[in-house]
Amino acid sequence: QLQASGGGWVPAGGSLRLSCLASGGTFSRYAVGWFRQAPGKGREFVAAISRFGTTYYTDSVRGRFTISRDNAKNTVYVQMNSLKPEDTAVYYCAGRSGSGYYMSAYEYVDWGQGTLVTVSS
């Protein structure tokens, strides 16, 4: 079970850190991804981290967002800097077992509830 938190309102150029807390299972074996869904749009891949710490980002956030994990705390984070109004969305974390990182929502089994990020211009 995954629980996302950390969303909120921030002015353009600001920062937020989202957290995805996992309960149950063996978190250290989990690959985790972050996705977002803006109003009226489909769910979009944002970033992913493998069980080994390998990371991958979509082009629009690379250099601004950093995904990381703390296995001792069963938590994956995404630090979001230089936020833009177009980053406004509901952000979801998702998890699955496996050795790689995964960019398609269909590849994930477990999903947390969303957390809303609003970036004002």
Side-chain angles (χ1 to χ4, degrees), residues 83-102:
L83 282 162
K84 304 175 181 180
E86 51 264 43
D87 294 319
T88 294
V90 177
Y91 284 71
Y92 300 88
C93 63
R96 58 159 289 165
S97 59
S99 59
Y101 54 81
Y102 306 90

Side-chain angles (χ1 to χ4, degrees), residues 8 20 39 64 103 117:
C20 179
R64 299 188 297 122
M103 294 172 280
V117 172

Side-chain angles (χ1 to χ4, degrees), residues 10 12 15 18 30 40-41 57 69 74 88 97 99 106 120:
V10 63
S15 298
L18 305 183
Y30 246 42
K41 295 187 177 181
Y57 303 89
R69 64 189 300 152
N74 285 1
T88 294
S97 59
S99 59
Y106 298 104
S120 65

Side-chain angles (χ1 to χ4, degrees), residues 63-74:
R64 299 188 297 122
F65 291 12
T66 303
I67 189 171
S68 62
R69 64 189 300 152
D70 184 339
N71 288 342
K73 296 182 178 179
N74 285 1

Side-chain angles (χ1 to χ4, degrees), residues 25-65:
T26 306
F27 180 72
S28 61
R29 297 180 180 178
Y30 246 42
V32 175
W34 283 94
F35 294 79
R36 65 187 180 186
Q37 188 164 13
K41 295 187 177 181
R43 194 163 295 190
E44 173 190 30
F45 168 77
V46 176
I49 188 166
S50 75
R51 57 184 286 195
F52 303 111
T54 304
T55 59
Y56 190 80
Y57 303 89
T58 192
D59 287 346
S60 63
V61 309
R62 188 175 290 115
R64 299 188 297 122
F65 291 12

